[in-house]
C-alpha cells in the first residue's frame, strides 16, 4: 500500500477534525497531571512531636519542657520521636521542682512516643502520614507509597504498549483512563496504609497507560506538522497545566481525602470523550481493517468540509489485505533484526537517562526555600517554557540536534554546580532550574522522536518499552538525590555526566525530520555508524567547497 500520509493528505493539516482530536486528547491528560504530583501533598510530613496526654498531671513549665531538644541546622529544635519519661517528670512536677533549675534535663531518662504524636495544622489539616502515624520508626512507609506508584507506572508502561498494539489505541486509552480514575476514587475510602499503597500502584498503571495510548493515538491521526505541536505544546503543556492547578487545589483543600476526591472527579468527565475520539485509522489499516479505517477518514473529511476520493485506498489492495489474516507482532520484533535491536537499546538508554535527570531534579526542586504550594507551582511552571523551546527546536532544527542540544544544556549546567560557592544559594537554584529546563525539553521531544522511528506495527510497543526504561529511571532517581547526603554535588555530577554521554549517543540515531512514518519494520531507517556519520559530514564540507579530511577507519555497532 502507498504511504498512509500521502493517501490521507486531502484531509488537510489543521482542519476542524484535527483541532478536535488535538484538544480532546490533550485535555484527557489533565487528570494525569493531578496524579503525577499528588504524593507531594498526600504524603507530606507536617511538623510533629510526641503527644503529652491531658490526663498526666504536669505543671505548665514541665509540659513545655517535656520534649528533649536536638541541634539541627545550627539551632535547637524539639525532637520528633522522643520525650522525657512521663512518670519521672510527673513526680518532679508534683514536688514543685523546676526544669533546668532544680533538675538537669540532660540527665533525665527518655522514652518513645507511647501516646502518639501531635501534628502541626499550619499547612495541612491531614495527610496519610498524620492519619496512620507514618513517622519515626514508620517514616519509611510514606516514600514507599510513592515508590509503589512508580512501580505501577513501570508495569503499565510494559503492558499497555502490547495491549494497545493488539486491541487498539482507543480501547486501551479508555479502559486505562477508567482504571486511573476508578482506583483514584477508591483511595478516598482507604482504611489503612496497605490499602492506600495497593490502590496507588494500580493508579500508577492506569496513569502511564492512558498517557502513552493518548500520545500514540494523536501521533497516528494528526499530520506530520501538527504531530510535533501535539507532542510538545499539546499533551505536555496540558499535563503541566494539571501540575500547576494541583497546588491551587491543595492550598484550599487541606484534608487529604477531600483533596484526593477533588483531583479525581475531572477524570470522570473524560469518559464522555468516547463518542468524540475515533480509533486510529493507521492502526486499523495495519490490522487489515481497511473498511473501518475508510469510515473514520470519510467522517473526518465531512467534518473538514472536504469530499473524500472514492476509494481512498486501492480496491485491489483492499481485497488483497483484507483476505489476509493480520500478522501479530510481539516483543521479540523489537530485537528481531540488527537495526531495530540497536535502536531499541539506544532508546532504552536515552529514556532511562532523561528520566533520572528529570525526576531527580523534580524531587530536588520542592526543597527550595519558600512555601510548599509555591514551590509546587514553580515545579510545574518551569516546564512550560521548556515545552515551547522543544516545539521551536522541532520546527526549525533536526530531531537529533534538538535532542542532543537540550541534553547538552541540561548536563553541562549540572556539572557547573560544583563550581558555585555554597553561599550563592540563588545562583545554585537558578542553575538547577536551567538544568531541569533543558532536560524537560528533551523529555518532551523524546516521545515524538521515538514514535517517528518505530514502524506502525510495533510503534506503541516500542514507545511502551522505552517508557518502561523511563520508569526504571524514575525509581532510581531518589537514590541519586540521596547521594547528596554524602556530597551535595555528587548527584549533579552523576546526572550531568550521564546526560552529556546520552547526548553524544543521540547523534547516532536516524533522522526522522521530514520523513514519513514507517509502517513496517523493513521501512525503518538504519541506525547511523561512526564511519557513516563522518562520511556525511565530509560530504557536506565538500558541498561548501572545503577540503575533505582523511576518513578515520573506525566503526561502531
Amino acid at each position: 500500500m502507498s504511504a498512509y500520509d500521502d493517501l490521507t493528505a486531502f484531509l488537510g493539516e489543521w482542519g476542524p477534525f484535527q483541532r478536535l482530536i488535538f484538544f480532546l486528547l490533550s485535555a484527557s491528560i489533565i487528570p494525569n497531571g493531578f496524579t503525577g504530583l499528588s504524593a507531594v501533598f498526600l504524603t507530606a510530613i507536617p511538623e510533629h512531636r510526641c503527644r503529652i496526654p491531658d490526663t498526666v498531671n504536669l505543671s505548665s513549665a514541665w509540659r513545655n519542657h517535656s520534649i528533649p531538644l536536638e541541634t539541627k541546622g545550627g539551632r535547637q529544635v524539639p525532637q520528633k520521636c522522643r520525650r522525657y519519661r512521663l512518670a519521672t517528670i510527673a513526680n518532679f512536677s508534683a514536688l514543685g521542682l523546676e526544669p533546668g533549675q532544680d533538675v538537669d534535663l540532660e540527665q533525665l531518662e527518655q522514652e518513645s512516643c507511647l501516646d502518639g504524636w501531635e501534628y502541626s495544622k499550619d499547612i495541612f489539616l491531614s495527610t496519610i502520614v498524620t492519619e496512620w502515624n507514618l513517622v519515626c520508626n514508620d517514616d519509611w512507609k510514606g516514600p514507599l507509597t510513592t515508590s509503589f506508584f512508580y512501580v505501577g507506572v513501570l508495569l503499565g508502561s510494559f503492558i499497555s504498549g502490547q495491549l494497545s498494539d493488539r486491541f487498539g489505541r482507543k480501547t486501551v486509552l479508555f479502559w486505562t483512563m477508567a482504571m486511573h480514575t476508578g482506583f483514584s476514587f477508591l483511595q478516598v475510602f482507604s482504611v489503612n496504609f496497605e490499602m492506600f499503597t495497593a490502590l496507588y500502584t494500580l493508579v500508577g498503571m492506569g496513569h502511564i497507560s492512558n498517557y502513552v495510548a493518548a500520545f500514540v493515538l494523536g501521533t497516528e491521526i494528526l499530520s506530520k506538522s501538527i504531530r510535533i505541536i501535539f507532542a510538545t505544546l499539546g499533551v505536555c503543556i496540558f499535563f503541566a497545566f494539571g501540575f500547576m492547578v494541583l497546588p491551587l487545589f491543595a492550598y484550599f483543600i487541606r484534608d487529604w481525602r477531600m483533596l484526593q476526591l477533588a483531583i479525581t472527579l475531572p477524570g470522570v468527565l473524560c469518559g464522555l470523550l468516547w463518542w468524540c475520539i475515533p480509533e486510529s485509522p493507521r492502526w486499523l489499516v495495519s490490522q487489515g481493517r481497511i473498511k473501518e479505517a475508510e469510515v473514520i477518514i470519510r467522517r473526518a473529511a465531512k467534518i473538514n468540509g472536504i469530499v473524500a476520493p472514492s476509494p481512498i485506498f486501492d480496491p485491489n489492495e483492499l481485497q488483497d489485505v483484507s483476505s489476509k489474516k493480520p500478522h501479530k507482532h510481539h516483543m521479540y520484533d523489537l530485537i528481531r533484526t540488527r537495526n531495530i535491536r540497536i535502536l531499541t537499546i539506544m532508546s532504552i538508554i536515552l529514556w532511562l537517562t532523561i528520566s533520572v535527570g528529570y525526576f531527580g531534579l523534580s524531587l530536588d526542586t520542592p526543597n527550595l526555600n519558600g512555601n510548599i504550594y509555591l514551590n509546587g507551582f514553580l515545579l510545574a511552571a518551569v516546564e512550560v517554557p521548556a515545552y515551547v523551546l522543544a516545539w521551536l527546536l522541532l520546527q526549525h532544527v533536526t530531531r537529533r540536534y534538538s535532542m542532543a542540544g537540550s541534553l547538552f544544556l541540561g548536563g553541562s549546567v549540572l556539572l557547573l554546580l560544583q563550581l558555585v560557592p555554597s553561599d550563592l544559594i540563588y545562583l545554585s537554584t537558578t542553575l538547577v532550574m536551567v538544568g531541569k529546563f533543558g532536560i524537560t525539553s528533551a523529555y518532551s521531544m523524546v516521545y515524538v522522536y521515538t514514535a517517528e522511528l518505530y514502524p506502525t506495527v510495533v510503534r506503541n510497543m516500542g514507545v511502551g518499552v522505552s517508557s518502561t526504561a523511563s520508569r526504571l529511571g524514575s525509581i532510581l532517581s531518589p537514590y541519586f538525590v540521596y547521594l547528596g547526603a554524602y556530597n551535595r554535588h555528587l548527584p549533579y555530577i552523576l546526572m550531568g555526566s550521564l546526560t552529556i554521554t546520552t547526548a553524544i549517543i543521540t547523534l547516532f540515531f536516524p533522522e526522522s525530520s521530514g520523513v514519513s512514518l514507517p509502517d513496517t519494520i523493513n521501512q525503518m531507517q538504519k541506525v547511523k555508524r561512526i564511519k557513516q556519520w563522518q562520511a556525511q559530514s565530509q560530504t557536506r564540507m565538500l558541498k561548501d567547497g572545503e577540503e575533505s579530511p582523511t576518513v578515520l577507519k573506525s566503526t561502531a555497532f
Side-chain angles (χ1 to χ4, degrees), residues 207-233:
H207 169 84
I208 190 61
S209 298
N210 76 275
Y211 184 94
V212 173
F215 168 78
V216 174
L217 181 57
T219 299
E220 294 185 344
I221 291 180
L222 298 172
S223 58
K224 287 187 291 186
S225 60
I226 306 304
R227 191 182 302 141
I228 300 172
I229 304 176
F230 174 75
T232 52
L233 301 186

Side-chain angles (χ1 to χ4, degrees), residues 41 121-127 130 247-259 371-373:
F41 304 102
K121 295 187 177 181
D122 293 339
I123 300 177
F124 305 100
L125 292 180
S126 72
T127 67
T130 65
L248 181 64
F249 277 32
Y251 179 79
F252 289 104
I253 306 174
R254 304 296 180 97
D255 177 78
W256 79 266
R257 292 184 188 271
M258 292 299 99
L259 175 61
N371 184 280
I372 186 174
Y373 302 105

Side-chain angles (χ1 to χ4, degrees), residues 72-107:
K72 279 191 175 182
R75 61 191 184 94
Q76 293 284 308
V77 296
Q79 290 190 26
K80 301 179 185 298
C81 301
R82 305 290 293 176
R83 69 185 184 186
Y84 291 121
R85 183 181 175 89
L86 290 187
T88 302
I89 63 177
N91 290 333
F92 290 145
S93 178
L95 295 173
L97 302 177
E98 293 294 325
Q101 297 179 2
D102 304 317
V103 177
D104 185 0
L105 295 178
E106 293 184 359
Q107 301 300 320

Side-chain angles (χ1 to χ4, degrees), residues 389 404-414 434-435 437-439 441 499-500 503:
L389 173 66
S406 297
L407 292 172
F408 272 119
L409 172 64
S412 59
V413 168
L414 294 181
V434 173
F437 173 85
I439 293 177
S441 296
T499 302
I500 290 180

Side-chain angles (χ1 to χ4, degrees), residues 45 119 128-130 132-136 138-139 141-142 145 193:
I45 305 176
Y119 297 95
I128 67 169
V129 171
T130 65
W132 297 310
N133 291 323
L134 307 182
V135 293
C136 297
D138 289 331
D139 60 356
K141 292 184 178 180
T145 297
F193 159 77

